[in-house]
Amino acid sequence: MTAATLAVALTAPPYAILTYTVPDGFAPEDFPVGLCLLVPVAGMLRAGVVWEVGVTPPEGVRLRPVLWPLERRPACDAGYLELVKNLASRHMAEPGRILGTLLPRGMRTAQVVFEVTESGLPRRMAAKALSRLAPAARAGLVAAWRKGAMGCRLAEEAADPLCALSADPPWPVRPGAARQIAVLDALCDAGPMPLSDLKKKIGPDTLTVLRRLVGLDLVRLDDGAAPADCVVRPTEPGGRDTSLAAMPPLTAAQAAALESLAPVFDAPDGAARLVFGVTGSGKTRLYMELAAKALARGRRVLLLAPEVALAARLHRAAAGAFPGCPPLLYHGYQPPAAREHAFRRCGGDDAPLLVVGTRSALFLPLRDIGLIVLDEEHDGAFKQEDRLPYQAKEVAFFRAGRAGALLVLGSATPDVKTFHAAREGHVPMVRLPSRIGGGGMPAIELVDMRGAPKLTSVAGQRETGDRVGVLTDSAAAALAETVADGDQAMILLNRRGYAPLLFCLDCEAPVRCPHCDLSLTYHKDRERLVCHYCGHSRPHPAPCPVCGGASFLPMGVGAEMLEEQLAGVLPAGTEVARLDKDIARRPERAEAILADFASGRAQVLVGTQMLSKGHHFPDVTLVIAADADLGRNLPDYRASERTFQLLTQLAGRAGRGDRPGRVLIQTRMPDDPFFQFVVRGDFEGFFELELSRRKRLCYPPFTRLGLARLSFPREWEAGFAAVAAVGEAMRQAATPLGVRVLGPAPAPLALVAGRRRFHCLLKSPDWPCVRRVFAAGRKVLAGAVKMRFTLDLDPVDML
């Protein structure tokens, strides 16, 4: 064993951990654990991370030296590599593969350029050119590197700017401009994305098309050279002081909660607490007080929200509360260079720092974390399903435990598993039982949709003949009264697009996606039919793909249609706005809509479940759930829980100001006991009922649940036999381990993107047994490149 030998985890294929020596001119201490560097691999250069120092070299193998470091001080320390090791174990993957997912592009690529400012030395060298220098010549550059006269940056050809829409649909492009439409559709469906990802979708000539769209002001390319998106923005119009010192005194409940949480900061192994507070009870203020205590201790703070719009709101609150400590904002819609800037800043020093972001901010290399907050902890957006599946709460528990930090999970409707853990004493709970200011919770009423007359004219002033088929007359009358009084209203319809189905009157069949067993959704503003699962789209109007007919009937109502219909029947001058996933793909557009509504410029806000999350609008006195039955009967054991959370959170948007709130919930099942819990706002009553059902059916929290997903091309007939073989192998492995295997069976969405999909549920007393059963199935598929086989631990998406 020698200090001059390094184990390096490669962050690109083959993702192995290889052993190298320290190069000439450098000392072992120049290569601490966590340092990013370049190494030679089979005649190529790869980026890697120092995994271990002073390893025993393999016998009989001549070790090669590292080429060059990519940073002087590691952004990732040994604690961060412990997180990587934990994730690698969970996912049965190589540590390098995990690092390749977590690290910014500039820290995991060999496409870098070295620049030297010292006279007498080469001014600029690509990584390949540096590798061709003689060892003695490279050693001569070490002094320049150490004193900062030599640095590296991403090569121009490796730059990966963020592509994003600059305008909402409809877009002024020719119908025949197929490539331009394909780019616009891709950005509208997926939101901002790096150029490299867009090229994979569109093709090699993507940049030419993008430049044309940039010239039309429809798309922007952001290289993120200036980290403006990461720093503080103006918080309050008129410069109002919103610092903690200027805030009103804490309520008795807030003060009691703070008093019970403050001592936990000193727990050496960290601690977790559930803050169970009704909507409007001041949870955000409590987070800021806790953050102040952590910052005063010289520690770092991480505040997480489930969506970008909520993270931006939390960021503004933190910026106002701590004017002397500007918080950092971090989320996946920022340019890659801006995210890399944030990553390096977090790992660059140990100064107190407050970071606000979405779930991915959990993987910033923050040292000495004192506080982690997950606001709206129940939200499904804290679970990532693709690339590197993870549950943010589990990662937060791990990081808090390793750092000795306080983890706060906040919600008015906690996840059933979280609340069960609190009731069992595993995650102690503090309560905020009432709203700030003494205001009561809004009155909630059920409206029976069965046979109820539907809205013809909201205002009663203009008989247009239009019908808003999703609103009953009683809901319409309440909306008219609210608008006439000058108050604001919110209407939830949890269905995107204009109409969920377009029916051909000639062949009497819905227009379906050619790649999925699903109907296409009509988006009128885009003049297209879109598949919400594979992204396929086709123009509309266009002939029916089955019979060539041209007569169609939109069936069902989406949020886009509801917005249009309300604008046609409300009194002239009433501004109606919409907020849904389609609009939120442009974060600045979503923020503008919320700002318009907050200022009163829009009086009615229509949207999907995004309306229910964390927004504070004091002038909203009416909230309508247009169809509360949507989502109740999905093939998902969490369906009732999610619907209860959605409706309760939505109801919490009403009556947050001086005037009382009113909530109307339209349903076809008003006698269902479920809705009585909603009307009473009785989370604990619902929890007891839901817990008894899950115990009876052996679902979490009474078991560990894994979802094994299999898929193969629909034309591959051998896929069915392969699925059966995997199922048999998993059942044989499961029996001695006490694991129940349900399936494989066709997934609820059995055909998506041209691939047949099968699900297999694994119910187990612990996670290691789930992984062992999955591993047994994976062995059967060795060499079956057409089959995709993945494991999702504690799945959120069961479709």
Side-chain angles (χ1 to χ4, degrees):
M1 182 180 296
T2 170
T5 55
L6 311 171
V8 177
L10 304 182
T11 57
Y15 297 115
I17 295 181
L18 304 179
T19 306
Y20 292 87
T21 61
V22 172
D24 293 342
F26 284 100
E29 56 267 24
D30 292 323
F31 293 90
V33 167
L35 190 80
C36 294
L37 39 66
L38 291 178
V39 294
V41 181
M44 300 177 292
L45 291 179
R46 288 285 185 265
V49 172
V50 177
W51 190 252
E52 190 177 350
V53 175
V55 296
T56 302
E59 290 186 14
V61 176
R62 187 176 67 87
L63 299 183
R64 301 184 67 183
V66 164
L67 175 62
W68 206 262
L70 290 172
E71 54 186 354
R72 289 176 183 79
R73 181 181 190 269
C76 306
D77 62 2
Y80 193 83
L81 296 191
E82 282 294 316
L83 171 64
V84 172
K85 191 179 298 184
N86 178 265
L87 290 169
S89 174
R90 286 171 179 261
H91 293 280
M92 296 177 288
E94 304 89 344
R97 190 180 295 273
I98 304 297
L99 284 164
T101 302
L102 301 184
L103 294 181
R105 181 176 175 81
M107 300 174 67
R108 55 180 168 83
T109 179
Q111 291 182 287
V112 295
V113 172
F114 293 91
E115 295 175 332
V116 184
T117 58
E118 189 168 301
S119 61
L121 295 174
R123 292 296 184 188
R124 189 174 185 274
M125 287 177 294
K128 280 285 188 184
L130 181 65
S131 70
R132 295 190 191 105
L133 291 179
R138 282 201 301 271
L141 295 171
V142 173
W145 173 265
R146 282 180 170 154
K147 64 184 180 182
M150 179 180 178
C152 72
R153 62 175 178 80
L154 198 64
E156 291 180 7
E157 60 269 21
D160 202 12
L162 194 73
C163 310
L165 290 175
S166 296
D168 292 329
W171 302 294
V173 296
R174 294 179 294 103
R179 305 290 286 175
Q180 294 181 20
I181 292 172
V183 168
L184 293 168
D185 278 343
L187 294 177
C188 191
D189 289 335
M193 68 173 74
L195 176 59
S196 58
D197 290 347
L198 191 60
K199 283 181 177 179
K200 292 176 184 177
K201 286 178 173 286
I202 307 301
D205 62 340
T206 302
L207 191 56
T208 302
V209 179
L210 277 171
R211 286 171 177 154
R212 173 62 178 158
L213 294 172
V214 169
L216 295 172
D217 291 329
L218 300 179
V219 170
R220 71 174 186 273
L221 295 178
D222 194 341
D223 62 6
D229 285 345
C230 299
V231 297
V232 65
R233 301 175 184 176
T235 56
E236 288 288 337
R240 184 167 65 90
D241 187 358
T242 58
S243 65
L244 278 181
M247 289 183 182
L250 295 172
T251 65
Q254 286 175 322
L258 185 62
E259 185 179 358
S260 68
L261 291 171
V264 184
F265 277 113
D266 301 320
D269 297 323
R273 296 291 185 270
L274 170 64
V275 175
F276 178 35
V278 299
T279 53
S281 58
K283 292 186 288 295
T284 301
R285 171 68 184 280
L286 181 61
Y287 304 154
M288 298 304 158
E289 295 286 348
L290 291 170
K293 291 185 177 297
L295 293 171
R297 285 171 159 83
R299 308 189 72 184
R300 294 180 156 196
V301 175
L302 187 55
L303 306 179
L304 301 181
E307 292 179 354
V308 174
L310 297 183
R313 180 185 66 83
L314 196 58
H315 181 245
R316 285 191 291 271
F322 303 102
C325 182
L328 193 71
L329 179 64
Y330 185 90
H331 57 76
Y333 283 169
Q334 292 170 321
R339 296 201 301 275
E340 181 169 342
H341 164 85
F343 195 96
R344 291 187 183 276
R345 181 181 169 190
C346 289
D349 57 49
D350 300 319
L353 179 64
L354 194 159
V355 178
V356 182
T358 51
R359 66 187 179 217
S360 58
L362 268 171
F363 297 115
L364 292 171
L366 289 164
R367 296 179 172 88
D368 193 23
I369 301 175
L371 173 68
I372 302 175
V373 173
L374 269 68
D375 192 24
E376 310 292 352
E377 67 86 27
H378 65 276
D379 199 289
F382 278 123
K383 174 69 185 289
Q384 175 163 301
E385 302 286 353
D386 55 358
R387 294 183 67 205
L388 177 69
Y390 66 90
Q391 170 56 259
K393 275 183 285 191
E394 292 181 3
V395 177
F397 269 106
F398 182 87
R399 296 210 69 178
R402 288 296 189 275
L406 169 62
L407 171 61
V408 173
L409 307 173
S411 180
T413 53
D415 180 277
V416 164
K417 293 192 299 177
T418 303
F419 200 76
H420 179 258
R423 293 276 289 265
E424 294 293 306
H426 304 306
V427 182
M429 176 168 45
V430 297
R431 294 176 181 258
L432 297 175
S434 58
R435 284 187 160 180
I436 291 177
M441 299 300 292
I444 301 178
E445 307 167 34
L446 298 179
V447 178
D448 193 344
M449 297 177 71
R450 296 171 298 182
K454 299 298 190 296
L455 164 66
T456 299
S457 173
V458 171
Q461 299 170 359
R462 296 184 299 157
E463 293 298 331
T464 62
D466 293 332
R467 298 179 65 82
V468 183
V470 75
L471 290 185
T472 61
D473 275 354
S474 59
L479 180 61
E481 181 181 350
T482 300
V483 170
D485 289 344
D487 292 335
Q488 291 182 300
M490 300 173 73
I491 306 176
L492 169 79
L493 181 58
N494 203 19
R495 186 186 284 137
R496 292 165 54 200
Y498 189 83
L501 188 147
L502 203 65
F503 188 77
C504 176
L505 296 174
D506 293 326
C507 66
E508 298 185 343
V511 183
R512 306 183 74 83
C513 175
H515 310 296
C516 309
D517 191 19
L518 298 162
S519 299
L520 295 176
T521 298
Y522 177 36
H523 288 252
K524 189 176 181 180
D525 58 358
R526 293 169 61 182
E527 297 179 334
R528 299 188 76 77
L529 299 171
V530 179
C531 176
H532 288 166
Y533 289 90
C534 76
H536 169 80
S537 68
R538 65 188 303 266
H540 183 79
C544 173
V546 176
C547 70
S551 299
F552 297 96
L553 175 66
M555 300 186 71
V557 179
E560 188 183 337
M561 181 188 290
L562 180 57
E563 176 194 20
E564 177 185 275
Q565 292 175 329
L566 287 174
V569 298
L570 284 167
T574 305
E575 186 73 26
V576 179
R578 174 169 56 93
L579 181 66
D580 56 25
K581 190 175 181 180
D582 300 312
I583 288 174
R585 293 257 164 51
R586 291 181 58 207
E588 70 277 9
R589 178 66 180 138
E591 288 190 44
I593 288 172
L594 291 170
D596 282 348
F597 192 64
S599 67
R601 284 190 290 271
Q603 202 169 352
V604 179
L605 183 60
V606 174
T608 56
Q609 60 182 343
M610 296 182 69
L611 295 186
S612 68
K613 300 177 181 181
H615 305 299
H616 177 71
F617 301 116
D619 293 331
V620 170
T621 59
L622 176 67
V623 165
I624 300 173
D627 191 342
D629 302 328
L630 290 176
R632 281 283 320 274
N633 299 308
L634 290 175
D636 186 338
Y637 77 95
R638 286 188 172 101
S640 290
E641 176 187 1
R642 287 175 175 169
T643 305
F644 180 90
Q645 289 165 340
L646 175 64
L647 296 176
T648 303
Q649 292 283 343
L650 178 72
R653 302 312 111 200
R656 297 171 75 99
D658 298 330
R659 297 177 295 281
R662 184 183 181 192
V663 180
L664 302 181
I665 296 179
Q666 296 191 158
T667 173
R668 300 169 190 83
M669 300 179 288
D671 300 325
D672 189 322
F674 167 85
F675 284 107
Q676 298 309 311
F677 293 117
V678 176
V679 169
R680 297 194 302 268
D682 183 6
F683 173 81
E684 295 189 62
F686 167 77
F687 168 81
E688 295 293 351
L689 180 66
E690 181 69 7
L691 200 67
S692 64
R693 183 182 69 88
R694 293 192 188 183
K695 187 173 185 179
R696 186 174 67 254
L697 298 176
C698 195
Y699 276 108
F702 302 103
T703 190
R704 297 288 189 265
L705 191 65
L707 179 60
R709 296 188 175 99
L710 302 99
S711 73
F712 58 88
R714 61 179 160 189
E715 65 274 8
W716 189 45
E717 292 300 326
F720 295 100
V723 169
V726 169
E728 180 60 28
M730 287 197 292
R731 281 189 289 273
Q732 289 182 9
T735 300
L737 297 174
V739 177
R740 291 184 61 193
V741 177
L742 306 179
L749 300 178
L751 180 67
V752 173
R755 299 184 68 86
R756 300 188 188 277
R757 305 170 73 245
F758 289 79
H759 284 176
C760 189
L761 271 181
L762 308 177
K763 294 183 177 181
S764 169
D766 56 48
W767 293 125
C769 288
V770 172
R771 295 189 185 95
R772 288 173 64 183
V773 171
F774 174 76
R778 191 164 61 177
K779 287 181 181 178
V780 176
L781 295 175
V785 295
K786 292 185 179 181
M787 181 71 75
R788 294 176 188 167
F789 187 39
T790 60
L791 176 63
D792 187 359
L793 301 176
D794 192 21
V796 168
D797 179 9
M798 303 287 287
L799 298 181

